[in-house]
Amino acid sequence: MLKSPFIESIQHCIRTRQYSYRTEKTYLYWIRFFIHFHNKQHPKYMRENEVE
């Protein structure tokens, strides 16, 4: 399964900062949850209270 370039860049940043594997998994889970919760809408098209 191919990952999005965005998710890969996040993963690269987390690994560069040498966070633990479990922290990486948790951060990626919440990022994916946020994206899917907002129906894969880009943050620049959402209102301020949705992004906050």
Side-chain angles (χ1 to χ4, degrees):
M1 181 174 164
L2 296 174
K3 292 184 182 177
S4 75
F6 174 71
I7 296 292
E8 286 182 350
S9 69
I10 299 288
Q11 193 173 27
H12 176 72
C13 289
I14 292 171
R15 288 183 180 178
T16 301
R17 295 175 187 201
Q18 298 181 342
Y19 287 1
S20 72
Y21 179 68
R22 291 187 79 177
T23 302
E24 175 184 334
K25 283 176 55 176
T26 303
Y27 280 17
L28 292 174
Y29 168 79
W30 282 110
I31 290 168
R32 286 185 187 108
F33 181 84
F34 179 85
I35 291 169
H36 288 283
F37 181 79
H38 291 290
N39 297 319
K40 299 181 182 181
Q41 220 177 13
H42 195 279
K44 72 179 179 182
Y45 300 119
M46 292 190 278
R47 286 179 267 145
E48 186 176 323
N49 61 349
E50 293 173 321
V51 177
E52 196 178 274

